[in-house]
Amino acid sequence: MPLTPHGSLRAVCGPAATVGTSLEGLMIAFRTPAEGAFLRAQDVRPAAHDADGLIYAPALSFPRHATAQQVIDTLRHMRPDAASSSYLFVTGEAGRLIGALSLHQLVVASPDARVESLMSPSLISLPEDLPAEEQARILSDSGLMALPVVDGLGRLVGALDAGDLLDAVEEEATEDMYRLAGVHKDEEISRPLSLAARDRVFWLIINLGTAFLAASVVSSFQNVIAHAAVLAAFMPIVAGQGGNAGTQTLTFIVRSLALGELRFANARQILLREIAIGICNGLCIGLLVGLLGWLWKGIPALGVVVGVAMLGNLILASVAGVVVPLALKALRIDPALASSIFVTTVTDVCGFFFFLSLGMLALQMGYL
Amino acid sequence: MPLTPHGSLRAVCGPAATVGTSLEGLMIAFRTPAEGAFLRAQDVRPAAHDADGLIYAPALSFPRHATAQQVIDTLRHMRPDAASSSYLFVTGEAGRLIGALSLHQLVVASPDARVESLMSPSLISLPEDLPAEEQARILSDSGLMALPVVDGLGRLVGALDAGDLLDAVEEEATEDMYRLAGVHKDEEISRPLSLAARDRVFWLIINLGTAFLAASVVSSFQNVIAHAAVLAAFMPIVAGQGGNAGTQTLTFIVRSLALGELRFANARQILLREIAIGICNGLCIGLLVGLLGWLWKGIPALGVVVGVAMLGNLILASVAGVVVPLALKALRIDPALASSIFVTTVTDVCGFFFFLSLGMLALQMGYL
């Protein structure tokens, strides 16, 4: 008996009467000739989309008292789509999900065992309104091929299988990477050039605003630079290292948020961890840059100025790399989308300000 | 009959003789009491790792002449691990894989149908030496829950299922993101602080080398900057926009390589596409920055200098964003690992050189 294309069931009650399909999950009476008994197979809503665009495969469910042989005979008659039958679900009162068994468990069971004795009752199910990345994480952690998706009343909506999720997970990861770099999430080789150029230039224009902010900080120190043009050479080092360190922290935080490892609950601990890394690396890079600056230009004060500015900027980069994405998440803005722009603004603007202020001080004290 | 923990089979020949396990895939004789016939079930090597660390589930295979009922009876006796039995494989001479059927097809088949009539003969199989991302893409495109993995002789090594792959795909995507930003691939919240700091500072030190390269370019124009300190204010804009545009192209190229959309065959077309985007965005951003520079400082020549430098740097960023990861891939170096450092070096060094050379020219001609 064939399935309709969207996966809901059609069935025969008695020899030839066809029962219609329904989106709401319909109860079908099946005569299983081998047993001469009626077995009820409940279909569920066919392939449903959640907010993130996940597609659930239809799932098959049976009442708790059905026997293994009855279920096998029913499947032989129904011939449902293979995708919908790697797990079979068991329902209790009011159509609520109470357990699951795999096709494998069904096949190896004694033919007269009841499904309620075969099923796993301690069932992980996915609420249908859970975000895609959460669903992926739970399914992946479960080690199962599929998990049932339920509505607010605990009724089966469908099943999420790992095969369907592979695409979704790849897509989410691509989106996060692209957003961090300011590339449109739909960009692919076949995307029209005009759209790709427009999406990317939009991001560059946004970044231009922050670049002009940094430029105005530098501009306000124009006199200092005119008197000690050597400072200009070190500007890209201070800002660049700050930007790199900020991007390291940011990428780690955005990915940890996506994988569910970072939550608001452990945010304070993570912030302290990143600040500690910032201090360690700031001391290391600050000393190194300071020494190199001194040796290169032969001006000790220049080494001190660039080294101290570097330490300050790397600590700041750690703080910004944690606080910005968390703040965006709290405001319900995708942390991957706008974080990098804010973080590099902080490291550029503050980096130049630290460095050129210290430079001005050294100039005024006659060390430069 | 229980499985050994690593998933290979133990079986009884006759009433009570236990046959040992073997890593090389062992032939087991099974007495199926219902049929009174011997059925041979071939176990395969248990969970194998490939070079990328993928773990293959063990797979069950049956000879082509076995009937559906014999296979079901055998499974009832063997009670293999559920993970190994969502698909059953069919072997011909010399243990070569010739087809597959799903447990579902087995259950709905007529009991005396032979597996060779039930199986899909046109079988996608994964060579065991294929990279993990390729395997993921093929499995994901196939829409199947699992695919068989074969050795060079076409013999079954195991099965790759989508559940196992979810982790691997998430991990690969995380690795690519982390490598682009210079974060160690194993970094997670529980990673000891000292290791995290050491890994990240290593990357910052590498970047420092390129930052000093950029600094030395700026340093060689120290006289120009001393005479026209206003140029210093625009340095971060030219380099920053170039770096951003280069990162956009680079991220897109690295991800396209990972997803298998970009190969050496279509590289030329992609390069031309990116250069076209670079010219469009360079004209757009160059004009905008030029105008803003002119209006801000009231010096038309400054607008021309910064605008032209921006156009040049954005075209260069496109070229570097494509050529660098492809060159690294050709050299068998992970393109995600070292690309960003080379691309930002190009955009920093050349951006400063363009901009300050043009500035020097404008200064010499008396426009600044």
Side-chain angles (χ1 to χ4, degrees):
Chain A
M1 213 157 303
L3 283 175
T4 54
H6 51 284
S8 63
L9 298 178
R10 284 198 299 156
V12 175
C13 284
T18 299
V19 176
T21 61
S22 147
L23 283 179
E24 285 310 306
L26 100 141
M27 301 297 284
I28 303 166
F30 256 96
R31 184 187 292 276
T32 54
E35 300 288 328
F38 278 90
L39 182 65
R40 288 149 64 87
Q42 186 183 12
D43 188 24
V44 293
R45 279 181 261 167
H49 285 257
D50 85 344
D52 286 302
L54 280 184
I55 296 172
Y56 304 127
L60 293 173
S61 64
F62 292 88
R64 60 200 313 164
H65 63 263
T67 66
Q69 193 59 52
Q70 281 177 319
V71 172
I72 289 178
D73 291 336
T74 307
L75 290 174
R76 280 197 178 130
H77 268 254
M78 283 167 42
R79 297 186 164 277
D81 193 308
S84 63
S85 62
S86 38
Y87 291 102
L88 303 169
F89 298 98
V90 182
T91 50
E93 301 112 55
R96 287 211 185 83
L97 182 67
I98 60 168
L101 69 162
S102 65
L103 204 51
H104 167 265
Q105 285 173 303
L106 182 73
V107 170
V108 302
S110 131
D112 54 357
R114 295 198 182 276
V115 289
E116 67 183 332
S117 71
L118 300 173
M119 73 184 194
S120 312
S122 57
L123 186 65
I124 308 167
S125 59
L126 300 169
E128 59 179 333
D129 54 358
L130 212 62
E133 275 176 342
E134 287 286 290
Q135 298 200 3
R137 201 168 49 82
I138 295 170
L139 177 55
S140 165
D141 289 351
S142 76
L144 297 171
M145 300 289 278
L147 283 178
V149 181
V150 294
D151 66 13
L153 297 173
R155 292 176 309 194
L156 199 58
V157 171
L160 182 66
D161 79 55
D164 291 338
L165 207 54
L166 265 181
D167 282 337
V169 165
E170 278 200 349
E171 213 171 279
E172 293 263 354
T174 305
E175 259 186 56
D176 279 355
M177 281 178 77
Y178 280 6
R179 283 179 170 172
L180 276 174
V183 177
H184 192 276
K185 70 183 173 65
D186 294 334
E187 176 134 358
E188 53 182 64
I189 284 165
S190 58
R191 187 170 168 83
L193 197 133
S194 56
L195 288 179
R198 190 200 61 187
D199 293 330
R200 292 204 210 164
V201 88
F202 173 77
W203 182 253
L204 292 176
I205 290 172
I206 303 280
N207 266 294
L208 198 56
T210 77
F212 266 97
L213 252 178
S216 70
V217 171
V218 177
S219 180
S220 69
F221 286 95
Q222 212 164 301
N223 271 330
V224 179
I225 294 168
H227 286 97
V230 68
L231 289 173
F234 288 87
M235 280 170 41
I237 299 178
V238 175
Q241 291 289 96
N244 276 325
T247 303
Q248 288 180 331
T249 300
L250 177 61
T251 303
F252 175 62
I253 298 294
V254 165
R255 193 64 185 148
S256 298
L257 279 169
L259 296 175
E261 288 167 6
L262 169 59
R263 288 157 188 287
F264 289 111
N266 63 351
R268 192 167 158 272
Q269 180 202 340
I270 307 294
L271 177 63
L272 294 177
R273 177 182 184 274
E274 290 296 322
I275 290 176
I277 294 178
I279 293 172
C280 291
N281 292 357
L283 285 171
C284 176
I285 296 290
L287 270 171
L288 189 59
V289 172
L291 269 172
L292 290 171
W294 174 16
L295 292 175
W296 183 21
K297 297 292 178 183
I299 312 170
L302 190 66
V304 174
V305 166
V306 71
V308 173
M310 191 65 84
L311 171 62
N313 206 20
L314 258 55
I315 296 171
L316 202 73
S318 303
V319 176
V322 177
V323 170
V324 168
L326 283 175
L328 289 174
K329 195 179 162 76
L331 296 170
R332 297 181 172 276
I333 300 171
D334 180 347
L337 182 60
S339 288
S340 68
I341 207 167
F342 286 113
V343 170
T344 51
T345 302
V346 169
T347 54
D348 274 5
V349 168
C350 298
F352 289 138
F353 183 77
F354 284 166
F355 175 61
L356 294 173
S357 301
L358 287 169
M360 186 172 68
L361 208 67
L363 191 69
Q364 285 169 347
M365 292 168 74
Y367 291 120
L368 274 184
Chain B
M1 213 159 302
L3 284 175
T4 53
H6 51 283
S8 63
L9 298 177
R10 285 200 296 156
V12 174
C13 286
T18 299
V19 177
T21 61
S22 149
L23 281 180
E24 286 309 308
L26 100 142
M27 302 295 285
I28 302 166
F30 256 95
R31 184 186 294 274
T32 55
E35 301 286 329
F38 278 91
L39 183 65
R40 287 148 66 87
Q42 186 182 11
D43 187 25
V44 294
R45 280 181 258 168
H49 285 258
D50 84 345
D52 286 303
L54 280 183
I55 295 171
Y56 304 126
L60 292 173
S61 62
F62 293 88
R64 60 201 312 166
H65 62 266
T67 66
Q69 192 59 51
Q70 281 177 319
V71 172
I72 289 177
D73 290 336
T74 307
L75 291 175
R76 279 198 181 128
H77 267 254
M78 284 166 43
R79 299 188 164 274
D81 193 307
S84 64
S85 63
S86 36
Y87 291 102
L88 302 169
F89 299 99
V90 182
T91 50
E93 301 110 57
R96 287 212 185 83
L97 182 67
I98 59 167
L101 69 161
S102 65
L103 203 51
H104 168 266
Q105 285 173 305
L106 182 73
V107 170
V108 302
S110 131
D112 53 358
R114 295 199 182 277
V115 289
E116 66 182 334
S117 70
L118 301 172
M119 74 185 193
S120 312
S122 59
L123 186 65
I124 307 167
S125 60
L126 301 169
E128 61 180 331
D129 54 358
L130 212 61
E133 276 176 342
E134 287 286 290
Q135 299 200 2
R137 203 168 49 80
I138 296 170
L139 177 55
S140 166
D141 289 351
S142 76
L144 298 171
M145 299 291 277
L147 284 178
V149 180
V150 294
D151 66 13
L153 298 172
R155 292 175 308 196
L156 199 59
V157 171
L160 182 66
D161 78 57
D164 290 338
L165 206 54
L166 266 180
D167 283 338
V169 166
E170 278 200 349
E171 211 172 280
E172 293 263 354
T174 304
E175 258 186 56
D176 278 355
M177 281 177 75
Y178 280 7
R179 283 180 170 171
L180 277 173
V183 178
H184 191 275
K185 70 183 172 64
D186 295 335
E187 175 134 358
E188 50 183 64
I189 285 166
S190 58
R191 188 169 167 83
L193 200 132
S194 56
L195 288 179
R198 189 200 60 187
D199 294 330
R200 292 204 210 164
V201 88
F202 174 77
W203 183 252
L204 291 176
I205 289 172
I206 302 279
N207 267 294
L208 199 56
T210 78
F212 265 97
L213 252 178
S216 69
V217 172
V218 176
S219 179
S220 68
F221 287 94
Q222 211 164 301
N223 271 329
V224 180
I225 293 169
H227 286 98
V230 68
L231 289 172
F234 288 85
M235 280 170 42
I237 298 179
V238 174
Q241 291 289 96
N244 275 325
T247 303
Q248 288 180 330
T249 300
L250 177 62
T251 303
F252 174 63
I253 297 295
V254 165
R255 192 65 184 147
S256 297
L257 280 170
L259 295 175
E261 289 167 4
L262 168 59
R263 286 154 190 289
F264 289 111
N266 62 352
R268 192 167 161 271
Q269 181 201 339
I270 307 292
L271 177 63
L272 293 177
R273 178 185 185 271
E274 289 297 322
I275 290 176
I277 293 178
I279 293 172
C280 290
N281 292 358
L283 285 171
C284 176
I285 296 289
L287 269 172
L288 188 61
V289 172
L291 269 173
L292 289 172
W294 176 12
L295 292 175
W296 183 21
K297 297 292 178 184
I299 311 169
L302 190 66
V304 174
V305 165
V306 70
V308 172
M310 190 67 82
L311 171 62
N313 206 19
L314 258 56
I315 296 172
L316 201 74
S318 302
V319 176
V322 177
V323 170
V324 168
L326 282 175
L328 289 174
K329 195 180 161 75
L331 295 170
R332 297 181 174 277
I333 300 170
D334 181 347
L337 183 60
S339 287
S340 67
I341 207 167
F342 286 114
V343 171
T344 52
T345 302
V346 169
T347 54
D348 274 4
V349 168
C350 297
F352 289 138
F353 183 77
F354 284 165
F355 175 63
L356 294 173
S357 301
L358 287 169
M360 186 170 70
L361 208 68
L363 192 70
Q364 286 168 347
M365 293 167 73
Y367 291 120
L368 273 185

